[in-house]
């Protein structure tokens, strides 16, 4: 069968409005950026559970899980990280057109990568959440034992050690997980999400 390069236009924004009316919530992407070990996954999952308990429909896409499934073919070069982010942003665009609240948890180390995601999803449906903890705190936490492997020379191009993490210039919200307790961080994130998604 021939590929149809001129499909009938399908206006995602119109569909989004209609679905949002059905499920009474606004589709929006909360893109959590930060170092490995900053707390992105924990906060994403906790906030998602809170949302689900309140009856909202929400999805978490986490770098580690995505990299073991749909993005299995990608590594950690700049090109691969770009592609990793691009694919997740494209999936995100589809999910939010269904009115779904999407929380993405991915390092997204460069400004241009975050701009890429924002550009695909659309400025008004995208919030950059900077999960901020100093590298020494992340290394001390070493939840996955990765920093120890980096120091032993077993992992190269590790973000924050021998590969750059560019701090967000103007994130929509910053959550300082080395200052706040976990409960305070989750509550801050939840409130921020709720303001954006309430119908
Ligand atoms: S991103 O840079 O492309 O946004 P992503 O969030 O998907 O990264 O994946 C990061 C996760 O992969 C980390 O939390 C860590 O568990 C694992 N990882 C393995 N190697 C690296 C590396 N070189 N740099 C960063 N994270 C790595």
């Amino acid at each position: 069968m021939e590929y149809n390069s001129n499909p009938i236009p399908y206006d995602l924004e119109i569909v989004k409005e209609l679905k949002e009316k059905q499920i009474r919530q606004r589709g929006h992407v909360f893109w959590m950026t930060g170092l490995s070990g900053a707390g992105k996954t924990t906060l994403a999952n906790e906030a998602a559970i809170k949302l689900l308990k309140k009856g909202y429909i929400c999805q978490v896409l986490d770098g580690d899980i995505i990299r073991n499934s749909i993005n299995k073919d990608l590594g950690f070069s700049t090109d691969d990280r770009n592609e990793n982010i691009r694919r997740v942003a494209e999936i995100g665009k589809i999910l939010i057109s269904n009115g779904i609240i999407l929380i993405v948890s991915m390092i997204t180390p460069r400004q241009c990568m975050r701009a890429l995601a924002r550009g695909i999803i659309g400025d008004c449906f995208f919030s950059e959440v900077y999960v901020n903890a100093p590298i020494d705190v992340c290394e001390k936490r070493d939840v996955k034992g990765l920093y120890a492997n980096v120091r032993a020379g077993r992992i190269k191009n590790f973000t924050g050690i021998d590969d750059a993490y560019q701090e967000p210039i103007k994130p929509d919200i910053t959550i300082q997980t080395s200052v706040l307790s976990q409960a305070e961080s989750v509550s801050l994130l939840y409130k921020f999400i709720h303001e954006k998604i309430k119908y």
Side-chain angles (χ1 to χ4, degrees):
M1 206 166 65
E2 231 175 73
Y3 170 69
N4 179 3
S5 59
N6 283 311
I8 299 161
Y10 183 76
D11 191 325
L12 287 183
E13 285 202 31
I14 293 174
V15 172
K16 184 173 188 287
E17 292 266 334
L18 292 170
K19 298 242 174 140
E20 287 174 344
K21 195 171 173 196
Q22 278 176 9
I23 61 175
R24 305 198 65 76
Q25 64 176 49
R26 298 279 180 203
H28 195 95
V29 176
F30 299 88
W31 197 285
M32 323 256 296
T33 172
L35 294 168
S36 179
K40 300 184 297 300
T41 301
T42 306
L43 295 188
N45 290 338
E46 292 280 324
I49 286 170
K50 257 184 129 159
L51 286 160
L52 290 166
K53 282 186 176 164
K54 296 268 182 198
Y56 294 109
I57 303 166
C58 116
Q59 176 70 52
V60 174
L61 292 180
D62 183 84
D64 278 320
I65 294 170
I66 289 287
R67 282 176 169 283
N68 272 308
S69 53
I70 177 176
N71 287 353
K72 231 183 197 161
D73 55 325
L74 301 175
F76 291 90
S77 66
T78 302
D79 280 355
D80 279 7
R81 288 188 202 246
N82 270 320
E83 180 59 8
N84 183 35
I85 287 150
R86 189 193 66 78
R87 289 182 198 170
V88 171
E90 291 289 359
I91 297 167
K93 188 173 173 176
I94 297 167
L95 290 177
I96 62 159
S97 76
N98 283 279
I100 289 169
I101 302 157
L102 174 63
I103 309 177
V104 173
S105 166
M106 283 173 40
I107 296 177
T108 333
R110 308 263 152 83
Q111 193 59 37
C112 60
M113 295 170 181
R114 297 183 290 258
L116 171 71
R118 188 185 284 271
I120 290 169
I121 287 152
D123 200 33
C124 41
F125 309 131
F126 183 94
S127 293
E128 188 175 299
V129 179
Y130 179 23
V131 183
N132 180 8
I135 185 77
D136 52 312
V137 172
C138 296
E139 184 163 2
K140 210 177 282 164
R141 287 178 184 158
D142 207 8
V143 197
K144 298 179 241 172
L146 291 169
Y147 286 94
N149 275 309
V150 174
R151 294 299 180 194
R154 287 188 286 270
I155 301 177
K156 300 273 175 239
N157 304 325
F158 198 80
T159 311
I161 306 287
D162 57 354
D163 203 45
Y165 179 80
Q166 293 175 344
E167 283 208 54
I169 298 163
K170 234 179 128 209
D172 296 289
I173 182 174
T174 298
I175 302 176
Q176 287 191 289
T177 60
S178 58
V179 176
L180 301 176
S181 69
Q182 187 173 312
E184 287 167 337
S185 300
V186 174
S187 162
L188 185 62
L189 177 61
Y190 180 83
K191 279 192 196 130
F192 180 77
I193 293 176
H194 192 254
E195 271 309 301
K196 302 264 177 198
I197 59 90
K198 65 181 188 213
Y199 192 78

